[in-house]
Amino acid sequence: MKTIIAACSQNLSGSRASIQTALRTLLAAPWPSQRDVRSWLQLLSVLQWVLSFLLLGTVSLLVLIYLVFTSFWPISALYLAWIIFDWDTPEKGGRRLPCLRRWSVWRYFRDYFPVKLVKTHDLSPSHNYIIGSHPHGILCVGAFCNFITGSTGFGEMFPGIRPFLTTLAGNFRLPIFREYLMSGGLCPVTRRAIGYLLSNNGTGNAVAIVIGGAAESLSCRPGVTTLILKNRKGFVRMALQHGAHLVPSFSFGENDLFRQVVFEEGSWMRSIQQRFQKMMGFAPCVFYGRGLTSVQSRGFLPYARPITTVVGEPVTVPKIENPSREMVDMYHDMYVCSLLKLFNENKTKYGLSETDELHII
């Protein structure tokens, strides 16, 4: 018995010594600094955003289909009934949630790049506006951060102005994802949705449209500033029909967030991309960014590159219900001149050289 007790005592004392040694090692180890914690929070905020836009809609749809074949099928049935009942809401201003726009996660999202908003002229709340957002880039980070989140101070810079951002109408047919989009102030890029905001929602509305669209994303790569704008005139016609002023904006650094494999015009891969884009509304870009573990690894997260969105001078537009082609062309030319002026006056301030030019095709 004494032998057993002695053996147990030795084991217990050995265990205590091991635990004490481990605690000393843990306490002596360097704790993550505040800067390290902040960097990880920034990375996680970007990760959740990328996953939301790439997977939330598809995963939610698959889950609801799966539930149909289980005892939880009423969940799918009720949500389908809700979508049918709520079908037109995205076309009628959506369902904004101010609390989501003020979500603290967006501050870490902003600081990851970082994203900055620059105001050059006032916008009067007594008018409505169409803001042209350039360039498209891969995921429109600058447009989302500035016009959907409140992290860059849009509301303080432009008091009385309610910003909206347009995106593909098909996104609002995906379950759960449609609620996420509407809560931030996104709406379909359709004539009906934009017309509602410009005519049935009072004044002080600013509808941001990424004019180059999916076609422009196919040419997105660092060091290239090419915009698809020459034949994009529908937004000018809508501005004239509703008397909404045109405001150019340019996000310097947007094209530096990812690396893309750009296929030459006329190649079979480029043809496949263009056909897919015409059928589905978005382009299947072959791109990569940084990985989750390190900057050197490859993944789908954007690189941390500064983005500065400069909002330019409004082009005053009269209200003409049936504008002629000549009238549309004239205001389109005025808008392009205003955009070129904005680009040339700010390019050297935000990472470009004096010789860099804005190519419009």
Side-chain angles (χ1 to χ4, degrees):
M1 178 63 73
K2 291 181 180 179
T3 304
I4 295 174
I5 294 174
C8 290
S9 299
Q10 290 176 0
N11 289 337
L12 287 173
S13 60
S15 299
R16 291 194 195 97
S18 300
I19 293 172
Q20 289 172 355
T21 303
L23 286 173
R24 289 194 192 98
T25 303
L26 180 62
L27 293 174
W31 287 84
S33 66
Q34 187 175 3
R35 182 178 179 180
D36 293 335
V37 173
R38 187 165 58 249
S39 296
W40 271 104
L41 289 174
Q42 292 170 3
L43 191 64
L44 291 174
S45 69
V46 174
L47 176 64
Q48 66 82 25
W49 179 77
V50 172
L51 291 179
S52 296
F53 270 84
L54 295 182
L55 298 177
L56 180 59
T58 303
V59 171
S60 298
L61 179 61
L62 293 175
V63 169
L64 288 175
I65 292 174
Y66 169 75
L67 291 179
V68 169
F69 303 97
T70 69
S71 58
F72 297 99
W73 65 265
I75 296 176
S76 298
L78 288 173
Y79 191 78
L80 177 61
W82 164 251
I83 287 184
I84 295 173
F85 174 78
D86 197 53
W87 190 261
D88 289 334
T89 299
E91 303 277 352
K92 296 180 178 180
R95 195 166 35 246
R96 296 164 66 97
L97 292 178
C99 60
L100 184 65
R101 293 172 61 87
R102 296 192 299 266
W103 199 16
S104 60
V105 168
W106 301 131
R107 295 198 298 272
Y108 294 107
F109 180 86
R110 172 200 64 196
D111 293 338
Y112 170 84
F113 299 96
V115 182
K116 181 182 178 182
L117 180 66
V118 175
K119 168 186 173 181
T120 62
H121 292 78
D122 291 329
L123 299 181
S124 172
S126 60
H127 299 289
N128 286 326
Y129 302 90
I130 290 180
I131 301 177
S133 180
H134 311 274
H136 183 284
I138 296 294
L139 293 178
C140 303
V141 172
F144 177 87
C145 190
N146 287 297
F147 302 129
I148 294 303
T149 78
S151 61
T152 57
F154 185 95
E156 290 74 24
M157 291 186 190
F158 303 100
I161 303 296
R162 294 181 297 275
F164 296 85
L165 179 63
T166 58
T167 186
L168 294 173
N171 289 329
F172 294 89
R173 304 302 176 233
L174 294 172
I176 309 301
F177 190 46
R178 69 190 295 273
E179 322 299 341
Y180 176 75
L181 294 177
M182 284 192 292
S183 63
L186 283 104
C187 63
V189 61
T190 62
R191 291 184 178 275
R192 183 185 176 192
I194 297 172
Y196 180 91
L197 293 172
L198 297 177
S199 60
N200 299 92
N201 201 40
T203 60
N205 301 292
V207 183
I209 303 175
V210 187
I211 297 169
E216 191 173 276
S217 66
L218 292 176
S219 301
C220 165
R221 62 182 184 269
V224 177
T225 48
T226 300
L227 305 182
I228 296 179
L229 179 59
K230 187 175 291 185
N231 296 318
R232 300 288 175 100
K233 300 180 180 180
F235 73 102
V236 178
R237 182 175 294 277
M238 289 206 68
L240 286 164
Q241 290 173 339
H242 298 282
H245 297 344
L246 291 168
V247 182
S249 72
F250 194 92
S251 293
F252 293 91
E254 183 72 45
N255 285 350
D256 299 331
L257 304 182
F258 294 95
R259 302 291 182 267
Q260 180 178 191
V261 180
V262 178
F263 301 99
E264 298 297 328
E265 288 289 346
S267 64
W268 64 275
M269 277 299 296
R270 185 70 167 210
S271 299
I272 291 176
Q273 287 179 314
Q274 291 172 340
R275 289 178 183 177
F276 190 93
Q277 183 253 318
K278 289 180 180 178
M279 290 188 298
M280 303 300 295
F282 64 94
C285 301
V286 181
F287 67 92
Y288 66 89
R290 61 157 291 177
L292 184 61
T293 55
S294 70
V295 178
Q296 288 73 29
S297 62
R298 291 189 179 184
F300 54 87
L301 295 178
Y303 291 107
R305 303 287 187 270
I307 304 172
T308 303
T309 301
V310 184
V311 180
E313 181 179 4
V315 176
T316 303
V317 176
K319 184 175 182 179
I320 305 174
E321 290 187 6
N322 296 300
S324 63
R325 179 179 297 179
E326 293 75 16
M327 185 69 68
V328 172
D329 290 342
M330 182 181 75
Y331 279 94
H332 184 271
D333 291 340
M334 292 172 63
Y335 175 83
V336 171
C337 289
S338 182
L339 176 62
L340 287 170
K341 178 184 177 184
L342 174 71
F343 178 82
N344 290 324
E345 289 180 349
N346 292 278
K347 61 184 179 181
T348 57
K349 300 177 185 176
Y350 306 114
L352 300 180
S353 66
E354 189 65 44
T355 57
D356 285 322
E357 297 181 354
L358 185 62
H359 303 282
I360 295 178
I361 60 176

